[in-house]
Amino acid sequence: MTDFLAPVEETIAEAPPPQRGGGAVRYLLTKVGGAIMSVLMVVVLGFFLFRVMPGDPVTIMTRGRPVSGAQLDQLRAEHGFDQPILVQFWNYLVGLLHGDFGNSYAFNAPAGAIIGERLGPTLLLSGTAAVLAAALGLWLGAKTAWYRNGPLDRASTGVALVFWSIPPWWLGVVLLMIAGGVFPTGGMQSPDSPTALVPHALDVAHHMVLPVFTLVLAIYGQYQLVMRASLLEEMNSDYLTTARAKGLRDDMVRRRHALPNALLPTTTLVFLHLGMVVSGAITVEAVYSWPGLGQLTAEALEAKDLPLLQGIFIVLVIAVVIMNLVADVLLRVLDPRVRAS
Amino acid sequence: MTSPVWARRRAAAGRVWREFAANRGGLVGVVVLGLFVLTAILAPLLISESSLDVTRATGQRLESPSGDFPLGTDENGLSVLTLTLWGTRLSLVVGLAAAVLSVLIGTTVGILAGHFGGWLSAVLLRFTDFFLIMPSLVLAIALSAVLEGGAGTIILAIGVVSWPTSARLVRAQTLAVEARPYIERARALGGGHGHVIFKHVLPSVLPLVFVNTTLAVGTAIVAESTLRFLGLGSTSEITWGGLLRSASSSGAITYGAWWYLLPPGIAIVLLVLAFTLVGRALETVLNPKLRERR
C-alpha cells in the first residue's frame, strides 16, 4: 500500500517532457488536424447516435402516436430509411457537404434553414453573457486570490459556489417570477417593435436583460474559481519576490507581473468552457422563449423531431470544436512559454 | 485485524477525518447530506402511496400554503411538500449512479492510457479530448431522446458524456506514480501489468477518484434535473426536475405560485452544494499543497 496521503498535485505537475523541435507551422497543422478529426467524429457520431436503437428513427418519431403500417412505410421512404445503412450514411455525408441536414419532421422544412435562422439570436445571447461573465469572473478571481482569506475572498468564493450549484434554468424561472413585471418575460422583441435601428436595438436589449443576467450568474463562478486558482499558483513565484525586492508597489506587482501570467491559462479555459455556456444557453432560452437554438432544441424534443435534433447537435458541437481551435492558436500567439516548449 | 498494516491504515483514516472535521464547510456539507439521505430512506414510511396518486388528490389546484398543505399544492392538488420529499429518492440515486458510472469509465480509460503507452494511449487520448470539449448537455439530450426509458436512460446518458475530466486526472496521476522508483522495482521483481495496475497504481489513484466522484455527483444531479426539465425520461417518475417542469408548464410562474417553484429548486441547490462542499473539503485534506494555500 502506498502512502494514502501522497501529495496529488506535486505528482501531477510531472508531465511528460515536451517534445523539442517543430515550428509554428507544425503546431498549427497538428491542431487543425485534431479539429478536423473531431469534426469527422461528430459527423459519424451524429449519424449513428440517431440509429443505435432497434427499429429506426421513424419508430422513435412516431412513438406514442397512432400510425398505421402503411404510413410508417411511407415515412420511411420519404426519409430514406428503407435503404441499406451504408447508402443512408453516404447520402447523409453528401448532404452535409452541401449544407443539407435533412428535413425537419415538425416544421416540414429543411433543418439547415431552420437552424440558420436561430443561430443569430443564440450567438447574441451567449456571446454577450460569456463576455460579461468572463469580465466579472476574472476580475473577482484576481481580487479574491490577491487578498486571499480576507472577507471579500470568503464571501465571494462562497457566493460563486452557490451560483455554480444552481441549475441556470431554475434561476431563470425564479428571476422571471420576481422581475417578470418589470422586464419582458419572453421573446426577443415586442410584437410592435420599432423598425428604426436604434429603438429596435434598445427593444432587443430590454428583452435581453433577464436571460443575459441569468446566464452570467450561472457561469461567472467557474471563471472566478479558475482565475483565483491560477493567480494563487503564481503567488509564490520567485519573480514576484524579485519584483517586490526592486521596490515596486503591491499594486504594480499584481498588475504588471502576476496578472499577465495568471491570465494566460485562464484565457484558454474561458474558450474551453464555451461548451458550458452553450449548455446553459439551451435551458435559459427555453425558459425565456428566446428564439435561438436552445428553444429550437426544446421544440424539437417536444415534437420528437430527430432530423432537426441531429442538425442542432452537429452545428453546436462543430461550433465548440472551432472555438477550441481558436483558443489553442490564440494561446500560442499570446504565451511565449507555449511557443518555447 | 491487528496487523501493523491495518493499524497504519486506521491511523491514516483517523488523520484524514480529523483534518476533514477542521473544515467547517465540509462538516456542514456532511450534515446536510446526511439529512437528505435520511429523507430518502424514510420517505416510504412517512408518505403513503395515496398521497402521490393524482386520482386521489385532496387539495385544490395550486392552493397556497395552509395548515393541511405546508407548501401548498401542485396543479393536480397534491401536496408540494410530499412530492418534494419523495423526489429526493430518485435525484439522489440517479446522481450517485451517474457519477459512479462516469468516474468508473474515466478511471478505466485514464489508467489504460497512462499505463500502456503507444497507439492505445494515443487513441484513448484523442477520444478523451473529443468528449472533453463536447458540450455534454447537448450529447446527453440527444442520447436520452433516442433511448427510451426513465431513470436508467438518464443515468446512462449522463455517465457516458461526463467521464473525460476524471480520465485526464487519473491518467496524469498514473503517469506520475509509474515514474517513481518503486514501480521499477516491482517490474524488476517480475510484476506484470495486472500487478502494477491493481497493486500499485490503483491504490494511489483511489483518493483522487473518490474526491472526483463526490464532486461529480453534484454535476450529475444538476444534469439530471435539466434533462427532466426538458421533458426527457419517464413522466411517471417523481423528480425535482420533473416537478419544476410541470410547475412551469402549468402556469405557476405567471400565477406566482412560489410554493411550487421554490421547494424543488432549493432542494437541488442544497444537495448539489452539500456534495460540492464535501468534495472540496476532501480535496483539501487529500492534497496538502492545496491545504496550506486555502
Side-chain angles (χ1 to χ4, degrees), chain A residues 5 11 38 63 170 302, chain B residues 15 126 148 180 245 261:
Chain A
L5 291 171
T11 47
S38 295
R63 194 186 284 157
W170 184 66
E302 214 73 53
Chain B
R15 204 160 58 230
R126 187 67 246 155
E148 199 178 20
R180 292 188 181 173
R245 175 181 170 79
L261 291 167

Side-chain angles (χ1 to χ4, degrees), chain A residues 43-64:
Chain A
V43 167
V44 174
L45 190 67
F47 179 81
F48 287 101
L49 182 62
F50 292 92
R51 283 166 184 77
V52 284
M53 280 305 281
D56 55 34
V58 168
T59 329
I60 299 169
M61 287 190 289
T62 53
R63 194 186 284 157

Side-chain angles (χ1 to χ4, degrees), chain A residues 2 5 8-9 11 34 38 41-42 49-50 53 63 149 165 169-170 173 177 279 283 302 317 320 324, chain B residues 15 126-127 130 133 137 142 146-148 173 176 180 182 204 208 225-226 244-245 261 265 273 289 293:
Chain A
T2 50
L5 291 171
V8 175
E9 208 169 73
T11 47
S38 295
M41 280 164 87
V42 174
L49 182 62
F50 292 92
M53 280 305 281
R63 194 186 284 157
N149 293 332
S165 309
W169 48 269
W170 184 66
V173 166
M177 199 171 57
S279 301
T283 50
E302 214 73 53
V317 179
V320 173
N324 276 285
Chain B
R15 204 160 58 230
R126 187 67 246 155
F127 223 64
F130 173 69
I133 58 163
L137 181 66
V146 174
L147 305 169
E148 199 178 20
Q173 177 74 351
R180 292 188 181 173
Y182 73 86
S204 69
L208 188 71
S225 65
T226 305
L244 288 166
R245 175 181 170 79
L261 291 167
L273 204 57
K289 212 172 161 191
R293 271 214 237 114

